[in-house]
Amino acid sequence: MPDSVNIGKTQGTVGTMAVRANLIHTPRRGAIEAIADALIVVSAGTIDRVVAPATADHADLALAFAETGRLLTCSPHAVLLPGLVDLHVHAPQFPQLGTALDLPLDRWLQEHTFPLEARYADLAFAEATYSELVATLLANGTTTALYFATIHLPATQRLAEICLRQGQRALIGRVAMDHPAQCPDLYRDPSAAIAADETRRFIGFVRTMAGNGHRLIHPVITPRFIPACTDELLAALGALAGETSCHVQTHCSEGDWEHGHVHARCGCSDTTALDRFGLLGRRTILAHGNFIDSADMDLIAARGAGIAHCPLSNAYLADAVFPLRAALDRGVHVGIGTDIAGGPSASVLENARHAVTVSRMLEDGVNPDVPRAARGSPSSRIDFREAFYLATAGGGIALDLPIGVFAPGYQFDALLIDPATPASNLRIGLAAKPDDALQRIVYTAQRADISEVWVAGMRVAGVSDHRG
Ligand code: GUN
Ligand code: FE
């Protein structure tokens, strides 16, 4: 547990402070850096310096911060990690977490998801579920989340206010979906013009929201997916993306049905169609991308767009494993998404662990009746270091935000893994080397092991919140 320095639980600017901890991060994909007893100097939420013990002024700095009550000393047995980045969350779907996953995507949407999302016309329902979701994600170490909300402007504005109030870095989209053939009457934008206009109003709302001067919250242009949107709406949102430089998010080549639908309608892949509509840019995040081919990957990489890899959701609602290694090798930015509630876990760490697992299954193949040489896709695996990178720095790069690494100029978004917390399953104490410690964290850490969480230097969650 950290000592008594309390750096606050509400949003605002904090002065210069220092955190003393054993840190582990992955500044480059596949490369771990660990600094025992590091001093991280944080000014107004941004990292000024990361000072290793061998540095000449380490001891003097620690003393100076301690004497002025601005040193936060973490347990010598705990590990400080960069905050986790969830690149794909459907905030309104939290109430159906872990249900109906035996259905195919189109039936799951029509029979369960759209009726649930329609309920967010009720602001009290939105307030209750969104508050619980944001608190849950923070407790799981998710310091940045990229959210789909619903078509309701007031409830989406409320989600932005709740994230700001609870101190979570959030990118939020009011969902646009106007296609009469794919969206039910009870849950559809009345017209492309109204959907585009409300998207524009939401962007204005977030950019001028009181207390959001430091841009903790970002608006996102959010066409649900091509099947749910008319060409008119996609073109209007593409123009808005060009005009506002906002982030864009949508679903892309998720499963056979959706991928085939887009080919039949547009005569090309989702990726090419989105590009033609002006929706594929440096700040675009495509969810899933399971059926992108090498030409799609090259186009996504050329535009600098990113993919939210959602391994658990893909196991249930998609029809294939995302070709992660191939995408990385072609220079595509990739991060991890929970895809709540297509995925039944609220934990980015758990999804990172599954990213390793499914990559191994893709490489080895899954059908024992097929001879070994023909069973899998060679060279598909990633390891725990790459998975952790995707869950932190990779998500930050995809979002074009300075998060996910402990380095000057980056935000101090962090979580403390403490094997001494009650109910911990972790066996870090047995592991002498940082590489081993990170491996154990990626494979076994749970919410119960996360003792403290900070966003932009503010403490936003921790185990002490749950004690009586
Ligand atoms: N495609 C369109 N909408 C959705 C959604 O809510 N979840 C998933 N997984 N895919 C979608
Ligand atoms: Fe999704």
Side-chain angles (χ1 to χ4, degrees), residues 88 90 93 148 251 254 287-288 313 339-340:
H88 187 48
H90 293 270
Q93 297 175 16
F148 276 59
H251 295 88
E254 179 174 0
H288 307 285
S313 168
D339 194 23
I340 290 170

PDB file of all heavy atoms in Angstrom, residues 88 90 93 148 251 254 287-288 313 339-340, ligand 2:
ATOM      1  N   HIS A  88     -12.217  -0.904 -27.128  1.00  0.00           N
ATOM      2  CA  HIS A  88     -13.562  -1.152 -27.660  1.00  0.00           C
ATOM      3  C   HIS A  88     -14.521  -1.621 -26.564  1.00  0.00           C
ATOM      4  O   HIS A  88     -14.474  -2.764 -26.134  1.00  0.00           O
ATOM      5  CB  HIS A  88     -13.495  -2.195 -28.776  1.00  0.00           C
ATOM      6  CG  HIS A  88     -14.795  -2.389 -29.497  1.00  0.00           C
ATOM      7  ND1 HIS A  88     -15.556  -1.343 -29.971  1.00  0.00           N
ATOM      8  CD2 HIS A  88     -15.492  -3.511 -29.826  1.00  0.00           C
ATOM      9  CE1 HIS A  88     -16.641  -1.810 -30.555  1.00  0.00           C
ATOM     10  NE2 HIS A  88     -16.639  -3.131 -30.473  1.00  0.00           N
ATOM     11  N   HIS A  90     -18.764  -1.271 -25.430  1.00  0.00           N
ATOM     12  CA  HIS A  90     -20.137  -0.765 -25.605  1.00  0.00           C
ATOM     13  C   HIS A  90     -20.689  -0.496 -24.215  1.00  0.00           C
ATOM     14  O   HIS A  90     -21.171  -1.423 -23.541  1.00  0.00           O
ATOM     15  CB  HIS A  90     -21.017  -1.790 -26.321  1.00  0.00           C
ATOM     16  CG  HIS A  90     -20.607  -2.033 -27.740  1.00  0.00           C
ATOM     17  ND1 HIS A  90     -21.120  -1.304 -28.793  1.00  0.00           N
ATOM     18  CD2 HIS A  90     -19.727  -2.904 -28.282  1.00  0.00           C
ATOM     19  CE1 HIS A  90     -20.574  -1.739 -29.920  1.00  0.00           C
ATOM     20  NE2 HIS A  90     -19.721  -2.705 -29.646  1.00  0.00           N
ATOM     21  N   GLN A  93     -24.108  -1.893 -23.049  1.00  0.00           N
ATOM     22  CA  GLN A  93     -24.304  -3.346 -23.031  1.00  0.00           C
ATOM     23  C   GLN A  93     -23.860  -4.001 -21.726  1.00  0.00           C
ATOM     24  O   GLN A  93     -24.001  -5.218 -21.551  1.00  0.00           O
ATOM     25  CB  GLN A  93     -23.578  -3.997 -24.226  1.00  0.00           C
ATOM     26  CG  GLN A  93     -24.115  -3.556 -25.581  1.00  0.00           C
ATOM     27  CD  GLN A  93     -23.315  -4.103 -26.756  1.00  0.00           C
ATOM     28  OE1 GLN A  93     -22.538  -5.034 -26.612  1.00  0.00           O
ATOM     29  NE2 GLN A  93     -23.493  -3.504 -27.922  1.00  0.00           N
ATOM     30  N   PHE A 148     -18.448   3.067 -27.291  1.00  0.00           N
ATOM     31  CA  PHE A 148     -19.689   3.273 -28.029  1.00  0.00           C
ATOM     32  C   PHE A 148     -20.759   3.539 -26.973  1.00  0.00           C
ATOM     33  O   PHE A 148     -20.845   2.786 -25.995  1.00  0.00           O
ATOM     34  CB  PHE A 148     -20.123   2.003 -28.779  1.00  0.00           C
ATOM     35  CG  PHE A 148     -19.492   1.776 -30.121  1.00  0.00           C
ATOM     36  CD1 PHE A 148     -18.128   1.657 -30.274  1.00  0.00           C
ATOM     37  CD2 PHE A 148     -20.297   1.637 -31.256  1.00  0.00           C
ATOM     38  CE1 PHE A 148     -17.561   1.414 -31.520  1.00  0.00           C
ATOM     39  CE2 PHE A 148     -19.744   1.389 -32.503  1.00  0.00           C
ATOM     40  CZ  PHE A 148     -18.371   1.280 -32.649  1.00  0.00           C
ATOM     41  N   HIS A 251     -17.271  -0.836 -36.457  1.00  0.00           N
ATOM     42  CA  HIS A 251     -16.934  -2.254 -36.564  1.00  0.00           C
ATOM     43  C   HIS A 251     -16.511  -2.543 -38.001  1.00  0.00           C
ATOM     44  O   HIS A 251     -17.069  -1.976 -38.935  1.00  0.00           O
ATOM     45  CB  HIS A 251     -18.139  -3.120 -36.210  1.00  0.00           C
ATOM     46  CG  HIS A 251     -18.571  -2.995 -34.786  1.00  0.00           C
ATOM     47  ND1 HIS A 251     -19.469  -2.042 -34.366  1.00  0.00           N
ATOM     48  CD2 HIS A 251     -18.223  -3.703 -33.688  1.00  0.00           C
ATOM     49  CE1 HIS A 251     -19.655  -2.163 -33.067  1.00  0.00           C
ATOM     50  NE2 HIS A 251     -18.913  -3.175 -32.620  1.00  0.00           N
ATOM     51  N   GLU A 254     -16.051  -8.063 -39.188  1.00  0.00           N
ATOM     52  CA  GLU A 254     -16.066  -8.817 -37.928  1.00  0.00           C
ATOM     53  C   GLU A 254     -16.310 -10.311 -38.146  1.00  0.00           C
ATOM     54  O   GLU A 254     -15.615 -11.142 -37.566  1.00  0.00           O
ATOM     55  CB  GLU A 254     -17.137  -8.235 -37.001  1.00  0.00           C
ATOM     56  CG  GLU A 254     -17.245  -8.970 -35.663  1.00  0.00           C
ATOM     57  CD  GLU A 254     -18.202  -8.297 -34.698  1.00  0.00           C
ATOM     58  OE1 GLU A 254     -18.794  -7.262 -35.046  1.00  0.00           O
ATOM     59  OE2 GLU A 254     -18.363  -8.816 -33.579  1.00  0.00           O
ATOM     60  N   ALA A 287     -13.000  -1.913 -34.937  1.00  0.00           N
ATOM     61  CA  ALA A 287     -13.153  -3.042 -34.022  1.00  0.00           C
ATOM     62  C   ALA A 287     -13.138  -4.350 -34.801  1.00  0.00           C
ATOM     63  O   ALA A 287     -13.746  -4.456 -35.871  1.00  0.00           O
ATOM     64  CB  ALA A 287     -14.457  -2.905 -33.242  1.00  0.00           C
ATOM     65  N   HIS A 288     -12.406  -5.295 -34.293  1.00  0.00           N
ATOM     66  CA  HIS A 288     -12.336  -6.689 -34.782  1.00  0.00           C
ATOM     67  C   HIS A 288     -11.401  -6.866 -35.983  1.00  0.00           C
ATOM     68  O   HIS A 288     -10.278  -7.319 -35.820  1.00  0.00           O
ATOM     69  CB  HIS A 288     -13.737  -7.257 -35.076  1.00  0.00           C
ATOM     70  CG  HIS A 288     -14.664  -7.106 -33.920  1.00  0.00           C
ATOM     71  ND1 HIS A 288     -14.574  -7.897 -32.790  1.00  0.00           N
ATOM     72  CD2 HIS A 288     -15.676  -6.226 -33.680  1.00  0.00           C
ATOM     73  CE1 HIS A 288     -15.498  -7.515 -31.920  1.00  0.00           C
ATOM     74  NE2 HIS A 288     -16.170  -6.508 -32.425  1.00  0.00           N
ATOM     75  N   SER A 313     -14.576 -11.659 -27.467  1.00  0.00           N
ATOM     76  CA  SER A 313     -15.768 -11.439 -28.288  1.00  0.00           C
ATOM     77  C   SER A 313     -15.672 -12.216 -29.594  1.00  0.00           C
ATOM     78  O   SER A 313     -16.645 -12.837 -30.038  1.00  0.00           O
ATOM     79  CB  SER A 313     -15.921  -9.946 -28.567  1.00  0.00           C
ATOM     80  OG  SER A 313     -16.880  -9.724 -29.551  1.00  0.00           O
ATOM     81  N   ASP A 339     -14.736  -5.359 -25.868  1.00  0.00           N
ATOM     82  CA  ASP A 339     -16.010  -5.435 -26.589  1.00  0.00           C
ATOM     83  C   ASP A 339     -17.152  -5.812 -25.665  1.00  0.00           C
ATOM     84  O   ASP A 339     -18.046  -6.558 -26.071  1.00  0.00           O
ATOM     85  CB  ASP A 339     -15.943  -6.402 -27.785  1.00  0.00           C
ATOM     86  CG  ASP A 339     -17.135  -6.219 -28.722  1.00  0.00           C
ATOM     87  OD1 ASP A 339     -17.744  -5.127 -28.710  1.00  0.00           O
ATOM     88  OD2 ASP A 339     -17.462  -7.172 -29.453  1.00  0.00           O
ATOM     89  N   ILE A 340     -17.149  -5.303 -24.450  1.00  0.00           N
ATOM     90  CA  ILE A 340     -18.334  -5.481 -23.610  1.00  0.00           C
ATOM     91  C   ILE A 340     -19.547  -5.113 -24.449  1.00  0.00           C
ATOM     92  O   ILE A 340     -19.558  -4.043 -25.046  1.00  0.00           O
ATOM     93  CB  ILE A 340     -18.261  -4.549 -22.366  1.00  0.00           C
ATOM     94  CG1 ILE A 340     -17.175  -5.038 -21.410  1.00  0.00           C
ATOM     95  CG2 ILE A 340     -19.612  -4.454 -21.665  1.00  0.00           C
ATOM     96  CD1 ILE A 340     -16.874  -4.053 -20.293  1.00  0.00           C
TER      97      ILE A 340
HETATM   98 FE    FE B   2     -18.438  -4.131 -30.671  1.00  0.00          FE
END
